[in-house]
Amino acid sequence: MKCLLIASESAEILFHWTDQEFQQNVQEKYSSSQEEGEGLPAFEDIISTLFAPIIISCGTMVYRQGDSYTSFTTENNHIYALCQFDECLYIAVNGDGEEKEDDLRRKLYVLRKITEVMFGMVTLSGSLLRKELRPQDTEQRVRLWKHLQSLVETYNYLRESDQSFLVEAVERLIHPTLCEQCIEFLERRLVQQINSSSLVERAGEEVLHTFILVHTKLLAFYSSRTASTLNTSDLLTLIIMAQNMYPSNVELDEPSPEVQPPISYSKIIYNYLESTSGSGPESFYTPEPSPSSRDSSSSEDSLHTLDIGPPDPSTPRRVFLELKDGQLPMVPHSMYCLPLWPGITLVLLTKVPNIQITRSVYSFLEDFTKLEKCLNEGQAGSGAARGQLNMHNTRSKLDKFIRDLGPSELQVTLFRAHKTNFYISFEIILCLFFYYSLIPLCKSMKTRLCSLYRQRFLTDTGSSDGPRCLSPALQERAQTMVQEKLMDWKDFLLVKSKRNITMVSYPLQKEEFPGLVHFIWVDRSSGQIIAPSLNITERTTSELGKGPVARYIKSKVWGLVRTTRQYLRKGYSTVTLRDGDFYFCYFLWFENENGYKLEAGDIPILPDDSPPIGMLGYDYYRKLLRYYGKNHQGEAVKCYELLTVHLGVIPTEIILQHCRQLASKLWEPSRNPLL
């Protein structure tokens, strides 16, 4: 009984996703109210009718009171969570009791993040986002909705099955030598060869980031020297998109657990870049249906159902990512997702031409947003005067921006005319002191800026000046190069991704931590996780075995993470609790770059309707580091988390000693390749 939807201010449904149970429940209610012989309306119409009162009431409260409710529970215990993002309302519903309010709010923020990565600054304008989510072409709209629904289902699946998406951090494959050799190969061979190819062959694009995924784990990641750091939120979203294109199946038959690195191990360690590919026969695996196919819950509407084939690897997806630690969000990139083998994928992120337009558009959007905020707060006198001075500066920058764009494009011509009308009205309104009349003009200018951005980076204008992406031949060469280098390793990597860290191997020895059942260690500064593998399937066996006991322990771990987030929201950085036969511990602490623990400070207490704690939909830890770093100016502050599960018979003092030793052992650079 789950539902997600995006609605406009006019109560129009821009997108919806429901599971099969919710759809059947709604249709049964409407069928009982229909007259005999009368057919059911389209499901989309039913959804619109069902949610229209909620959407309208929220809009009314925002208009009259400047605020609205964020959640409510109905008589039949259905939980509704609502978030207003710019001009659109996001709603999540749960009716089976499997999700709490915080879980629903997390899904809304993740859905918002996915739309931002897909559409960039267009999400700041409700009217433009409507054009993207509800295109006039029926077939295009169905294809887009199915793609977005599939992304939602992929995230739901990963959140319930993968520890990295449970805590929202990236997990690397722990094999220092191979990882180092792959990074060196990506830098010196792959990226260098692509970026040095002809301008026509790469269509003016330049590879900024490239990484190799084994299922959801990073084998190697390389960023060029001119690239900004790719933040954890964007990287996790890209992993969701890659998994959605080429889903991994944990139930898949895999090589024997005893598969070891290839016989030429020592040779590859020291001569990896010059090694030749293996001559043995290739072994391919046929993937079973994706999570979205296994748990199909795409909602049917009045539109015709389309069979969407597998994605074309040579066709990149336009993605919008943050630069400079969020100071410049939604910068356009092209994402190439090239399958090497089932479960192993190469991802390329390239810089597209005319990227400097993004910086100018974002700067102008900030200027008009500041003016609009000033007017909304009623600062008519001095505030408007300061705004006027700022707008004179903005006007000169806009004039230069338009001249640099050139006169050839229709959107530029329309924007120039709209800008002229805005400043004429701006001067007149200031003279008449009708300051509130400027608010719709500011919104109109912001929409025009977003429209120009959309035309440049999202709309296919059908230009005939050649391809706008890396040529298929160049992509094929890149794919072949990486396949040749990893040919001898592919079976080992697939097994390694399922058993990345075990409780009796690196960096632990079983006798050192008697009674320790499981742990999760997260470096929140870099957004990376270390945790023993926890695969609970019928075909794979972890150290916990399989069956009801293993699933029970896994459910306890998932529940512990949810519980610790509730306490962290209340300002607690340390939690210890006993639950039946287990003893749980959670610690959050700060260190400087030399590993010295810093004095514990007060953690901010968050209201119940605050954004979820995590790094995917909303980067809580980035803001926490900034908050804590105010008292440590000039010092690089690191943030860490440790969750442990012990058997309840272990004395408390021994458990706490284990936690200290475990945190120290995981931090040691000699043992931890992540640092």
Side-chain angles (χ1 to χ4, degrees):
M1 286 288 290
K2 301 175 179 66
C3 174
L4 280 174
L5 65 87
I6 304 174
S8 66
E9 291 179 318
S10 59
E12 183 179 21
I13 303 298
L14 304 182
F15 166 77
H16 70 78
W17 169 88
T18 65
D19 64 5
Q20 197 66 31
E21 187 179 358
F22 186 93
Q23 181 176 340
Q24 291 176 353
N25 181 269
V26 171
Q27 288 177 332
E28 287 174 1
K29 289 182 178 179
Y30 271 79
S31 62
S32 61
S33 62
Q34 295 294 109
E35 296 183 4
E36 187 175 352
E38 186 178 358
L40 276 176
F43 184 69
E44 184 181 343
D45 296 334
I46 296 177
I47 288 286
S48 298
T49 305
L50 178 66
F51 285 94
I54 300 173
I55 299 169
I56 293 172
S57 64
C58 280
T60 303
M61 291 182 67
V62 171
Y63 177 74
R64 294 186 176 181
Q65 301 183 7
D67 198 3
S68 181
Y69 44 83
T70 57
S71 66
F72 61 87
T73 304
T74 61
E75 292 181 351
N76 56 359
N77 291 323
H78 286 197
I79 303 175
Y80 287 70
L82 306 92
C83 290
Q84 184 79 34
F85 295 113
D86 297 305
E87 299 176 7
C88 294
L89 181 65
Y90 289 60
I91 303 177
V93 185
N94 180 269
D96 54 19
E98 294 181 358
E99 296 174 314
K100 304 300 182 184
E101 181 183 335
D102 184 67
D103 299 316
L104 297 180
R105 187 170 289 108
R106 184 177 305 277
K107 290 171 68 174
L108 292 179
Y109 274 82
V110 170
L111 178 59
R112 168 66 172 180
K113 178 64 181 181
I114 291 174
T115 57
E116 286 180 344
V117 171
M118 290 178 61
F119 304 115
M121 294 184 196
V122 170
T123 56
L124 303 178
S125 169
S127 59
L128 295 180
L129 184 59
R130 181 193 179 281
K131 291 181 180 180
E132 291 296 327
L133 290 176
R134 293 188 66 94
Q136 293 182 351
D137 182 74
T138 300
E139 182 175 324
Q140 182 183 356
R141 176 181 156 203
V142 174
R143 191 176 299 275
L144 173 65
W145 278 31
K146 282 187 175 292
H147 174 62
L148 194 50
Q149 288 167 349
S150 182
L151 287 171
V152 170
E153 291 164 358
T154 300
Y155 164 71
N156 290 339
Y157 175 77
L158 293 175
R159 185 189 60 173
E160 295 300 325
S161 61
D162 197 304
Q163 291 181 98
S164 63
F165 282 88
L166 170 67
V167 299
E168 299 184 0
V170 179
E171 185 173 5
R172 288 180 178 268
L173 281 181
I174 306 298
H175 197 295
T177 303
L178 178 58
C179 293
E180 181 181 348
Q181 297 289 346
C182 286
I183 292 172
E184 189 176 356
F185 168 74
L186 293 177
E187 176 187 8
R188 297 186 180 181
R189 293 286 303 280
L190 184 69
V191 174
Q192 186 175 354
Q193 181 166 328
I194 294 176
N195 289 344
S196 61
S197 59
S198 67
L199 195 64
V200 174
E201 195 173 17
R202 56 187 175 90
E205 295 192 351
E206 176 188 349
V207 176
L208 296 179
H209 309 277
T210 180
F211 53 92
I212 301 173
L213 285 174
V214 185
H215 298 305
T216 59
K217 297 177 178 62
L218 275 180
L219 170 62
F221 186 100
Y222 170 73
S223 297
S224 68
R225 290 174 175 81
T226 59
S228 297
T229 303
L230 189 64
N231 67 35
T232 303
S233 176
D234 286 339
L235 184 53
L236 287 170
T237 306
L238 295 175
I239 293 175
I240 293 174
M241 298 177 74
Q243 280 291 295
N244 184 64
M245 293 177 68
Y246 304 105
S248 301
N249 194 329
V250 294
E251 296 284 351
L252 193 62
D253 284 332
E254 61 181 17
S256 168
E258 287 74 27
V259 171
Q260 297 296 325
I263 296 176
S264 55
Y265 176 77
S266 59
K267 178 182 178 181
I268 292 180
I269 286 181
Y270 299 106
N271 246 333
Y272 189 71
L273 293 178
E274 289 76 24
S275 66
T276 58
S277 59
S279 58
E282 288 190 357
S283 176
F284 290 93
Y285 302 95
T286 304
E288 295 179 4
S290 66
S292 57
S293 299
R294 290 196 306 267
D295 190 22
S296 177
S297 51
S298 297
S299 47
E300 287 291 332
D301 56 13
S302 59
L303 306 175
H304 297 292
T305 302
L306 294 178
D307 292 328
I308 300 178
D312 181 5
S314 64
T315 303
R317 291 197 178 276
R318 182 56 51 86
V319 292
F320 299 86
L321 311 174
E322 291 186 4
L323 297 184
K324 298 183 179 179
D325 198 23
Q327 297 179 23
L328 185 60
M330 307 184 211
V331 178
H333 295 71
S334 289
M335 176 187 180
Y336 298 82
C337 198
L338 307 177
L340 304 177
W341 297 280
I344 306 178
T345 309
L346 171 68
V347 179
L348 302 173
L349 292 174
T350 63
K351 179 176 69 174
V352 300
N354 300 321
I355 199 173
Q356 68 277 4
I357 295 176
T358 304
R359 188 184 307 275
S360 299
V361 170
Y362 185 69
S363 175
F364 295 137
L365 286 173
E366 281 192 320
D367 289 341
F368 285 107
T369 299
K370 290 176 182 177
L371 177 60
E372 184 181 350
K373 181 181 179 182
C374 173
L375 296 168
N376 276 320
E377 291 175 351
Q379 299 174 3
S382 59
R386 288 195 299 270
Q388 182 181 9
L389 294 175
N390 291 334
M391 294 314 294
H392 284 308
N393 186 31
T394 303
R395 181 175 187 173
S396 62
K397 292 180 180 178
L398 273 173
D399 290 336
K400 183 179 183 304
F401 174 63
I402 294 174
R403 286 195 302 270
D404 292 341
L405 289 176
S408 59
E409 299 179 16
L410 176 61
Q411 285 292 342
V412 176
T413 304
L414 293 175
F415 181 72
R416 182 187 293 109
H418 197 80
K419 186 257 320 178
T420 302
N421 292 335
F422 170 82
Y423 280 104
I424 292 174
S425 303
F426 183 81
E427 299 294 342
I428 295 173
I429 290 172
L430 282 181
C431 293
L432 297 176
F433 298 97
F434 295 149
Y435 300 112
Y436 285 103
S437 301
L438 285 173
I439 295 176
L441 290 176
C442 288
K443 291 183 178 180
S444 178
M445 280 298 293
K446 288 161 61 178
T447 300
R448 285 293 178 182
L449 284 165
C450 292
S451 181
L452 183 65
Y453 172 93
R454 173 177 179 260
Q455 187 268 337
R456 280 287 178 141
F457 300 117
L458 277 174
T459 305
D460 184 9
T461 58
S463 176
S464 59
D465 56 355
R468 296 189 175 184
C469 61
L470 303 179
S471 67
L474 190 58
Q475 295 183 47
E476 186 177 351
R477 286 206 303 271
Q479 189 177 23
T480 302
M481 287 171 61
V482 181
Q483 283 177 328
E484 289 176 351
K485 289 302 176 182
L486 293 179
M487 179 65 71
D488 292 337
W489 292 86
K490 66 177 190 299
D491 290 345
F492 170 75
L493 290 173
L494 290 171
V495 174
K496 181 65 174 173
S497 69
K498 307 283 181 65
R499 298 164 178 81
N500 194 24
I501 295 178
T502 62
M503 292 292 293
V504 294
S505 63
Y506 169 90
L508 308 170
Q509 297 297 327
K510 191 173 183 179
E511 59 271 13
E512 289 186 79
F513 302 98
L516 178 62
V517 178
H518 192 71
F519 72 87
I520 298 177
W521 183 90
V522 188
D523 178 357
R524 288 300 181 182
S525 306
S526 62
Q528 296 176 349
I529 173 182
I530 297 179
S533 300
L534 199 59
N535 297 315
I536 310 298
T537 69
E538 292 301 321
R539 302 187 188 183
T540 59
T541 304
S542 70
E543 296 166 292
L544 301 176
K546 61 182 180 179
V549 174
R551 285 192 291 271
Y552 175 75
I553 295 176
K554 179 183 177 182
S555 68
K556 289 295 183 182
V557 172
W558 259 245
L560 171 62
V561 172
R562 293 188 176 96
T563 301
T564 55
R565 283 171 175 162
Q566 294 174 5
Y567 281 102
L568 187 57
R569 185 184 297 276
K570 297 176 182 178
Y572 295 95
S573 59
T574 301
V575 179
T576 60
L577 57 94
R578 189 181 298 275
D579 184 359
D581 296 327
F582 299 100
Y583 195 92
F584 302 107
C585 295
Y586 166 79
F587 303 94
L588 180 144
W589 72 98
F590 300 92
E591 296 179 1
N592 62 18
E593 55 187 343
N594 296 320
Y596 293 102
K597 186 176 180 180
L598 301 176
E599 183 179 353
D602 293 331
I603 303 296
I605 300 175
L606 305 177
D608 292 337
D609 60 349
S610 61
I613 291 176
M615 302 186 78
L616 177 52
Y618 176 84
D619 200 340
Y620 163 81
Y621 294 95
R622 180 197 293 175
K623 290 180 170 51
L624 182 62
L625 279 166
R626 288 176 181 171
Y627 172 84
Y628 191 84
K630 292 178 181 179
N631 298 325
H632 298 272
Q633 298 292 338
E635 195 172 12
V637 178
K638 306 286 186 178
C639 177
Y640 300 97
E641 287 180 306
L642 177 65
L643 299 92
T644 63
V645 182
H646 280 80
L647 295 176
V649 296
I650 306 298
T652 304
E653 57 272 15
I654 299 298
I655 292 176
L656 297 179
Q657 181 182 349
H658 282 179
C659 292
R660 286 191 294 269
Q661 293 174 347
L662 184 60
S664 175
K665 190 174 285 287
L666 289 169
W667 187 90
E668 291 178 23
S670 60
R671 293 180 175 269
N672 185 357
L674 303 185
L675 301 176

